[in-house]
Amino acid sequence: MSNQLDQWREPTLRTEPIFQGKIITLQVDTIELPDGKTATREIVRHPGAAAVLAIIDDRMLVVEQYRKPMDKFQIEIPAGKLDAGEDPIVCAARELEEETGYKAASLKPISAFYTSPGFADEKLYLYLAEGLTAGQVNPDEDEYLQVDTITLEQALAYIKEERISDAKTILAVYAWRHYKLTGEL
């Protein structure tokens, strides 16, 4: 099927950098459509991120923090941005420890996915943490969060209430439910 779709690729004719931040960059690409006409695509470039589904005594480890883009508090799984050249599993271990104080004996990959492929290239890697041991929370200096554990039932209710409304956490909750039902990720 992909050979048939090749005819619909959008070759880039020109890239105009718009913004360079510490987390994202924004560019506008002029592309050629399959019919020969041109169009523009606004693209957000992001280094990627890693997130962790951590279960302690049949409860999911979460953090609650204020999210300015949505102007509300969110309950989420521990996660963070990849440093340049960083292996996602290293990032996942680091973020778990920084945000919650917990260390994992092992991390198993669950999934990797693009968060918003219509306009961004951010790829997020989701891991299951196993063999957790408690330690010291050490969030980034501009990070204010509260650590908690919640049951699967609470997590599903929080999704309905939109207290959990980010894709990575929703995916983690459903992966956890699937894991509880089948024993498989």
Side-chain angles (χ1 to χ4, degrees):
M1 181 170 201
S2 67
N3 289 340
Q4 293 173 339
L5 296 178
D6 278 344
Q7 65 184 327
W8 295 331
R9 285 192 185 277
E10 299 178 344
T12 302
L13 303 174
R14 186 175 70 249
T15 296
E16 180 185 353
I18 303 296
F19 173 77
Q20 173 91 33
K22 68 178 199 179
I23 297 176
I24 63 160
T25 62
L26 173 62
Q27 68 190 51
V28 176
D29 284 2
T30 301
I31 55 98
E32 183 179 349
L33 296 170
D35 65 4
K37 295 178 184 172
T38 61
T40 58
R41 301 289 186 251
E42 297 170 353
I43 301 172
V44 174
R45 299 284 183 202
H46 186 283
V52 182
L53 169 59
I55 307 300
I56 302 166
D57 298 326
D58 205 30
R59 298 173 71 85
M60 183 171 72
L61 189 59
V62 294
V63 296
E64 186 166 10
Q65 60 188 320
Y66 182 76
R67 291 301 199 178
K68 185 61 181 168
M70 297 173 305
D71 200 25
K72 69 177 192 170
F73 286 90
Q74 276 288 153
I75 296 171
E76 302 176 15
I77 58 174
K81 178 181 74 69
L82 295 171
D83 290 336
E86 185 177 32
D87 185 325
I89 200 165
V90 171
C91 177
R94 174 176 44 81
E95 291 295 331
L96 175 65
E97 186 174 359
E98 283 179 6
E99 293 187 359
T100 70
Y102 281 88
K103 289 184 182 182
S106 67
L107 292 166
K108 284 186 183 174
I110 295 174
S111 184
F113 57 95
Y114 290 95
T115 58
S116 299
F119 66 87
D121 68 352
E122 178 187 20
K123 188 172 187 179
L124 195 137
Y125 300 84
L126 178 60
Y127 294 91
L128 173 67
E130 296 182 311
L132 295 167
T133 55
Q136 184 66 38
V137 176
N138 186 25
D140 293 337
E141 64 182 32
D142 64 346
E143 200 169 39
Y144 299 89
L145 44 85
Q146 181 176 326
V147 179
D148 200 0
T149 59
I150 59 175
T151 65
L152 179 58
E153 293 73 25
Q154 285 175 301
L156 293 169
Y158 289 165
I159 290 170
K160 285 183 183 175
E161 296 165 12
E162 295 187 12
R163 289 183 68 194
I164 293 175
S165 62
D166 65 297
K168 71 181 179 308
T169 305
I170 292 171
L171 186 96
V173 169
Y174 291 137
W176 181 26
R177 181 171 68 178
H178 180 77
Y179 187 62
K180 284 178 66 115
L181 292 171
T182 68
E184 296 177 4
L185 289 175

